[in-house]
Amino acid sequence: MSRFDDELNDRLQAIRAGGLHRQIRQLESAQGTRVRIAGRELLSFASNDYLGLANHPDLKRAAIRAVTEAGAGSGASRLISGSLMPHDALDQAIARFKGTQAALAFSSGYTAAIGTICALCDSSDVIVLDKLVHASIVDAARLSGAKLRVFAHNDLEKLETILRWASGAGPARLSDSGKGDPLPARARNVLIVTESIFSMDGDRAPLREIVALKESFGAWLMVDEAHATGLIGTGGRGLADELGVGAGIEIQMGTLGKAVGSSGGYISGSRALIDFLVNRARSFIFTTAPVPASAAAAVAGLGLIGAVEGDVLRRLLRERIAQFTEGLPGSVLVPQPVGAILPISIGPEDEAVRVSGALRERGILVPAIRYPSVPRGRARLRLTLSAAHSADDVEQVLEALATVQAWRG
């Protein structure tokens, strides 16, 4: 064991030397805009609880009721021991919310991506990814064995070039990368995968144009609405709803642990898609179902998001976002926000860690995002706002950012 630990300690030292070491912080409180760590209260801008529902009394009551009625655990996979009522209710609630024929809940967004992409694609297929998609999507594409191609972030011209190549209408090689070797003899399908609101930059995908391109070339499209669900579109249904392109997206993905306030992931789409995933998505088939409490809380969260209270919370969140962006100096390049993710570019990893630490000394929790979450040398502060933040909270973080000179990097 000593040689094993020595090897790991050497690797950890290299991680520390690169300014990339991470540690788990124990919260001594519930999740919220104020959290307690090591006995100290901090104003948090680190959570994806965009609407402040994670600690909402309706969600907690739903979870408690589910524990009382359905138990603490699920026992086994839904295909082995039977699907508990909270799980069936969640699938139906997601389908209604997204306006699709059917939906299927997974234990996390990660398992939703892995199970779906690996079920749909293999070595006979081509998967085309936006360069900034989430790590779960990248991992899924690699695990599927499909031929993988990546287009520069939101670059429609590059996407079209790849689709033309994949359809056999373009050159055998993609001239700029040299990686466009001929397709396998039996290239069946092309799957494009993008996010609607990107998790690190907070910008949006040109979904209308991507839908038009995929239809022109007969490709499939999968869109991860993780950071748009609850915030954008009618009743918070997402960017696809806002743009009116949901019918042109074969696979809609999202998470239940951000604006919805619970945990888990989902896929929504046609009945055929969901039936196929029930039979072929390994991360659904071969795992114990999520606990009934989380499913019931998610149903309650979706209900709130689609009701008048959801409209009120979205309005409050938009006000806080506007207050924050208007309070920044003109030299700070924050993209025009379309969601609650507000990145401030720092650059060097050690400088991002320094600024994050300086903010924490002032009682504010803002994470430093570093490689591999973002490219090397492009570290940043990633602030996320919530409808539960007050105007005073936003003023406090703006003053702290100016004090620590967060935008000097």
Side-chain angles (χ1 to χ4, degrees), residues 311-330:
D311 293 334
V312 172
L313 293 173
R314 281 185 287 276
R315 177 180 56 77
L316 287 171
L317 178 59
R318 287 193 295 270
E319 290 175 0
R320 297 289 82 80
I321 293 169
Q323 178 189 359
F324 180 82
T325 55
E326 290 167 6
L328 292 174

Side-chain angles (χ1 to χ4, degrees), residues 32 63 68 135 164 166 174 201 231 238 242 247 284 303 309 319 338 342 345 352 355 365 397:
T68 302
R164 196 172 299 281
L174 300 178
D201 285 16
L231 307 187
E242 181 177 270
F284 173 80
E309 184 169 353
E319 290 175 0
V338 292
L342 301 161
S345 177
V355 176
L365 180 62
V397 73

Side-chain angles (χ1 to χ4, degrees), residues 2-23:
S2 62
R3 289 181 59 193
F4 175 74
D5 287 343
D6 288 345
E7 170 67 20
L8 296 186
N9 284 325
D10 287 344
R11 297 185 191 184
L12 284 167
Q13 183 55 38
I15 292 171
R16 293 187 185 95
L20 301 176
H21 189 253
R22 293 163 170 80
Q23 291 179 298

Side-chain angles (χ1 to χ4, degrees), residues 77-352:
S77 162
R78 291 171 66 181
L79 294 176
I80 295 295
S81 60
S83 185
L84 293 169
M85 290 181 64
H87 299 131
D88 293 335
L90 178 55
D91 290 345
Q92 294 164 21
I94 294 167
R96 286 194 303 271
F97 176 71
K98 294 296 292 181
T100 57
Q101 292 179 0
L104 187 66
F106 288 75
S107 58
S108 69
Y110 207 106
T111 56
I114 295 287
T116 301
I117 292 174
C118 290
L120 291 171
C121 299
D122 61 24
S123 60
S124 299
D125 303 309
V126 174
I127 297 176
V128 187
L129 306 180
D130 185 289
K131 187 176 178 63
L132 297 188
V133 293
H134 191 266
S136 63
I137 294 170
V138 176
D139 289 353
R142 289 172 173 167
L143 285 170
S144 73
K147 189 176 290 292
L148 176 60
R149 292 293 177 266
V150 177
F151 62 98
H153 178 50
N154 281 344
D155 188 332
L156 294 169
E157 183 177 350
K158 178 61 67 175
L159 173 58
E160 182 174 2
T161 298
I162 295 172
L163 291 175
R164 196 172 299 281
W165 162 79
S167 69
R173 291 189 176 274
L174 300 178
S175 58
D176 65 331
S177 67
K179 294 183 178 179
D181 51 327
L183 287 168
R186 194 172 63 90
R188 297 177 307 178
N189 302 297
V190 178
L191 172 66
I192 306 165
V193 192
T194 188
E195 299 180 33
S196 59
I197 304 298
F198 286 85
S199 61
M200 290 300 142
D201 285 16
D203 58 343
R204 67 167 67 190
L207 283 188
R208 281 200 186 103
E209 294 80 357
I210 292 175
V211 168
L213 277 175
K214 74 96 185 177
E215 289 179 349
S216 295
F217 289 95
W220 298 339
L221 177 59
M222 178 175 179
V223 177
D224 182 4
E225 292 261 43
H227 297 276
T229 299
L231 307 187
I232 296 173
T234 306
R237 291 183 178 88
L239 184 60
D241 175 88
E242 181 177 270
L243 298 177
V245 296
I249 300 171
E250 284 79 7
I251 308 126
Q252 296 192 52
M253 173 182 162
T255 56
L256 303 166
K258 296 178 173 62
V260 179
S262 184
S263 66
Y266 68 80
I267 297 293
S268 65
S270 66
R271 169 54 60 188
L273 168 66
I274 301 309
D275 285 349
F276 182 75
L277 293 180
V278 167
N279 284 276
R280 284 293 182 267
R282 293 171 65 85
S283 61
F284 173 80
I285 297 168
F286 296 108
T287 190
T288 299
V291 296
S294 69
V299 172
L302 289 170
L304 288 171
I305 284 171
V308 173
E309 184 169 353
D311 293 334
V312 172
L313 293 173
R314 281 185 287 276
R315 177 180 56 77
L316 287 171
L317 178 59
R318 287 193 295 270
E319 290 175 0
R320 297 289 82 80
I321 293 169
Q323 178 189 359
F324 180 82
T325 55
E326 290 167 6
L328 292 174
S331 60
V332 180
L333 299 178
V334 176
Q336 184 61 37
V338 292
I341 301 166
L342 301 161
I344 294 179
S345 177
I346 300 294
E349 282 77 13
D350 56 353
E351 177 66 5

